């Protein structure tokens, strides 16, 4: 079946996370993504453990569906091949520190002369403009500067880093949106452009109610633990063998919750019958609820409350998540056969399209797996020409 | 200037966060987003505090650039107008619980008969398929079930909720990508389709190295605090007046760091000279670094280390973030004039496009602000027809 982005050719100059995450999404949706890697070494993340048969599980998880070509971009022949490639592709994505592509003689100003319809997407720590532009950044630094740590953590506790590298991942997502928006513009006008996405900017963009609260009140929110600030009960409770998250989002759910939790005695209590009252009398209400939860297991509560229509769920660890029936039914855990690592599992595609669905067609490539294939099919090189180029040591 | 999505008309049936976040992105990039709201009440989040002159700061922060039309979808005349609107738009976005649109007689199967090129995007807690499909979900429940809480929190501590509603926001981002991918497919084939995005699926998709580690080792990662698991030093340190995050990502940075931090004595120490060694001898190394940081202020360290090329940054709260020179230079804080609230500030657009940039053209609409305008311009209704419809009480 034809895929949404089947006609799109992407030259992928990215490494590690933000850039590769963006090009993975494009590849999942059908784009032909050609990953240009440094000869012998490849993407830095090929060295990140843990390994499966010597192959980085990390690299494999975000580089499926891509083709790998090695190329020494500092050599004259390597540069020449790169410029040939630029004429054949629709999109370039890179996540170097700003200025790096220019130093290589491959900045957007040069590339757009060669291919005016090229979409050039750059994902960087601080963006291609502004006083911090040239600074290096890591996810940890962006999470610190970007405010998300200041509102994550235990109540009264210290700012806490979000487990996944949300600074990189949101930049990858916004960059993918930028590329697709630019693609629509190009479909209408024939003209390419530059897409510039900064990890720090993306952090500002995802702060939602913390930002709204600050602008309304002038006060910076603090880590609030796992409790909702204005809905009660809306937090995890300890059970006889673990914890369960419950979300009694309105008064109708409160009635369902009380009936199932054996709290019929307080359902209409003038101290607890509406959400504002429950919020006001939280200190006396919480212990009553907590005592009930202690009397049964997480699994039992989860099934009883779900049956009763009360939003709730276990606090899954990664293993539990990968075995959840809904996650499996939605094909969010996919088995792939990797040339070296053998059969492994990677996350699936969260965008489900009814007519032109994405797909996981191939495992991540081994380094330079498709160099010859790309030279032949995309650039029309002959075996002899390839042999001569190889003698130069540029792959 | 023409914008990337200027030609796109979006009928926005969304409420609260995941859906409105998606349609905000489309509107920021130029789409004409018509928000259909329940008469008198509107989007639930119009009731979420805090307020500025009685208008919800929360609602205003994620509904700029949209037009608001009230419409009673349960009335016959309301339904008829809805079907008229469906014929004029390119995209519908909704984030109801699966089954709700079908109950209203407006499921995708019905709408695609009226408009075969329609892109129908649905963002829900668990998706439109699978055993949990019909369950209600809140961000807290999805964060709990989705594994992100299990890897966020203090070292040795409890699973911790991420401050912003990352379950909603990532679903909004993936839905926007799905709409734009489907748009490309439609540009090529003329055919529409359904985009189905589940908040839970999106959590699986953003776990990155935690998921890779689990599949490689069979062990579920736990909350790891603010320290990088395999790079040292890569964590916050206390200064004389606060904290600073540093990220000494490689041995070259280690040398720069030692020179600036007065740690020349240990730079070539065989216990600390490479990252694996520093990781191995973390327990003796950390106190030496910590002592140095205690001797100067966060601001001074930030400037000194930045000057030396060492990635680092303050742990900004929201106020500090909104005053950061880079954030301001990148126009990530934007002033808008709201009809009722007056001048307020909202986050900017993190996708910077060189040729067809996004823009914040209007503040969030007041409820039903554009009902008449849309009836006239989009549906060609006369003043008399509008008067008659109003008499039915459907707006």
């Amino acid at each position: 079946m034809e895929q949404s982005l089947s006609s799109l050719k992407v030259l992928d100059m990215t490494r590690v996370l933000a850039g590769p995450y963006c090009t993975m999404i494009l590849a999942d949706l059908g784009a032909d993504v050609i990953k240009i890697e440094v000869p012998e070494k490849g993407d830095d993340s090929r060295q990140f453990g843990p390994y499966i048969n010597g192959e980085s599980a990390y690299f494999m998880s975000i580089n499926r569906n891509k083709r790998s070509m090695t190329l020494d971009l500092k050599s004259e022949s390597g540069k020449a091949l790169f410029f040939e490639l630029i004429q054949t592709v629709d999109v370039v994505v890179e996540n170097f520190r700003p200025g790096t592509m220019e130093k290589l003689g491959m900045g957007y100003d040069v590339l757009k002369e060669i291919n005016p319809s090229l979409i050039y997407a750059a994902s960087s720590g601080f963006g291609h403009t502004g006083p911090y532009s040239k600074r290096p950044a890591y996810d940890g630094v962006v999470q610190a500067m970007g405010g998300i740590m200041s509102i994550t953590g235990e109540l009264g506790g210290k700012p806490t880093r979000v487990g996944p590298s949300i600074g990189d991942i949101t930049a990858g997502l916004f960059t993918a949106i930028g590329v697709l928006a630019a693609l629509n513009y190009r479909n209408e006008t024939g003209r390419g452009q530059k897409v510039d996405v900064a990890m720090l900017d993306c952090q500002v963009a995802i702060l939602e109610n913390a930002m709204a609260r600050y602008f309304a009140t002038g006060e910076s929110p603090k880590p609030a633990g796992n409790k909702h600030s204005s809905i009660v009960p809306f937090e995890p409770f300890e059970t006889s063998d673990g914890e369960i998250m419950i979300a009694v989002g309105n008064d109708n759910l409160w009635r369902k919750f009380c009936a199932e939790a054996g709290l019929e005695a307080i359902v209409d209590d003038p101290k607890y019958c509406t959400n504002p009252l429950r919020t006001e009398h939280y200190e006396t209400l919480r212990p009553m609820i907590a005592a009930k939860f202690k009397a049964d297991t997480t699994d039992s509560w989860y099934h009883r409350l779900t049956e009763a229509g009360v939003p709730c769920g276990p606090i899954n660890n990664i293993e539990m998540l990968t075995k959840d029936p809904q996650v499996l039914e939605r094909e969010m855990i996919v088995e792939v056969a990797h040339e070296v690592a053998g059969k492994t599992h990677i996350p699936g595609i969260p965008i489900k399209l009814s007519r032109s669905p994405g797909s996981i067609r191939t495992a991540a490539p081994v380094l330079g797996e498709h160099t010859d294939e790309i030279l032949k099919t995309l650039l029309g090189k002959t075996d002899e020409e390839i042999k001569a180029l190889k003698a130069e040591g540029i792959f």
Side-chain angles (χ1 to χ4, degrees), chain A:
Chain A
M1 190 185 305
E2 195 77 4
Q3 297 194 286
S4 313
L5 304 180
S6 292
S7 61
L8 202 67
K9 277 201 165 41
V10 179
L11 201 58
D12 180 1
M13 319 286 289
T14 67
R15 302 105 349 100
V16 188
L17 186 49
Y21 198 85
C22 167
T23 57
M24 173 185 74
I25 293 169
L26 301 177
D28 286 354
L29 294 169
D32 179 13
V33 174
I34 299 167
K35 189 175 174 84
I36 302 294
E37 299 192 74
V38 179
E40 286 165 37
K41 188 170 155 280
D43 184 331
D44 296 338
S45 72
R46 287 186 182 272
Q47 319 304 325
F48 294 179
Y51 302 93
I52 302 173
N53 289 341
E55 291 287 312
S56 163
Y58 184 84
F59 178 84
M60 288 191 289
S61 75
I62 47 177
N63 287 286
R64 78 271 186 105
N65 284 337
K66 302 178 189 176
R67 299 199 281 169
S68 167
M69 172 177 180
T70 50
L71 193 59
D72 177 6
L73 295 172
K74 290 178 180 165
S75 70
E76 281 314 305
S77 304
K79 274 187 213 294
L81 284 174
F82 174 81
F83 289 126
E84 282 187 57
L85 283 167
I86 281 295
Q87 294 171 57
T88 72
V89 299
D90 305 286
V91 179
V92 169
V93 186
E94 55 97 346
N95 65 333
F96 292 110
R97 207 200 301 188
T100 304
M101 289 290 281
E102 284 74 10
K103 259 188 228 160
L104 288 165
M106 301 168 180
Y108 176 58
D109 285 346
V110 174
L111 302 187
K112 75 178 177 187
E113 297 300 323
I114 299 172
N115 181 352
S117 64
L118 183 72
I119 295 166
Y120 179 106
S123 173
S124 59
F126 299 104
H128 278 232
T129 59
Y132 307 170
S133 177
K134 296 285 162 59
R135 288 194 202 165
Y138 285 90
D139 178 79
V141 171
V142 171
Q143 284 202 30
M145 295 177 72
I148 197 167
M149 284 182 63
S150 78
I151 55 168
T152 299
E154 296 183 8
L155 186 64
K158 289 195 123 184
T160 302
R161 188 177 175 280
V162 176
S165 298
I166 206 74
D168 281 292
I169 286 171
T170 51
L173 288 163
F174 277 112
T175 304
I177 293 171
V179 167
L180 294 176
L183 180 62
N184 186 64
Y185 184 82
R186 196 183 78 158
N187 284 337
E188 292 179 351
T189 65
R191 301 172 95 169
Q193 62 186 308
K194 181 174 176 178
V195 181
D196 166 20
V197 172
M199 290 164 67
L200 185 64
D201 291 355
C202 294
Q203 293 306 292
V204 177
I206 66 164
L207 291 171
E208 50 111 22
N209 78 61
M211 192 62 101
R213 273 185 284 161
Y214 170 72
F215 285 127
T217 67
E219 276 171 38
S220 294
K222 295 196 169 67
N226 295 336
K227 183 186 168 306
H228 198 288
S229 58
S230 56
I231 308 180
V232 172
F234 201 114
E235 65 183 298
F237 284 88
E238 287 188 7
T239 63
S240 64
D241 65 348
E243 276 192 295
I244 188 163
M245 173 70 86
I246 64 163
V248 180
N250 57 51
D251 295 340
N252 185 31
L253 290 173
W254 168 248
R255 279 183 288 277
K256 293 180 181 176
F257 170 70
C258 285
E260 190 56 43
L263 289 164
E264 297 90 342
I266 61 167
V267 65
D268 294 318
D269 190 314
K271 276 172 77 182
Y272 309 121
C273 60
T274 70
N275 183 60
L277 289 165
R278 288 191 294 279
T279 304
E280 188 184 337
H281 299 110
Y282 175 75
E283 295 302 332
T284 55
L285 177 59
R286 193 186 195 289
M288 285 190 274
I289 299 172
K292 294 289 181 187
F293 275 101
K294 270 293 194 188
D296 204 347
T297 62
T298 297
D299 205 46
S300 173
W301 278 115
Y302 177 38
H303 287 100
R304 286 169 53 189
L305 290 173
T306 297
E307 203 61 34
V310 177
C312 66
I315 301 179
N316 286 327
N317 64 20
I318 307 299
E319 178 175 8
M320 291 153 75
L321 176 66
T322 62
K323 292 175 177 161
D324 184 283
Q326 181 73 8
V327 168
L328 295 174
E329 176 79 20
R330 297 276 294 176
E331 297 181 340
M332 285 310 296
I333 304 295
V334 180
E335 186 181 272
V336 290
H338 186 274
E339 191 172 318
V340 178
K343 279 188 183 168
T344 62
H345 290 87
I346 55 177
I349 304 171
I351 301 165
K352 310 294 185 191
L353 295 164
S354 63
R355 190 182 289 275
S356 57
S359 64
I360 296 182
R361 304 171 297 282
T362 58
V366 296
L367 182 59
E369 183 176 341
H370 306 94
T371 305
D372 284 20
E373 174 184 307
I374 290 161
L375 288 168
K376 283 183 194 175
T377 58
L378 224 66
L379 301 185
K381 301 295 176 197
T382 64
D383 286 333
E384 284 200 351
E385 286 170 316
I386 294 172
K387 202 176 159 192
L389 287 164
K390 279 188 175 164
E392 291 187 46
I394 63 168
F395 301 121

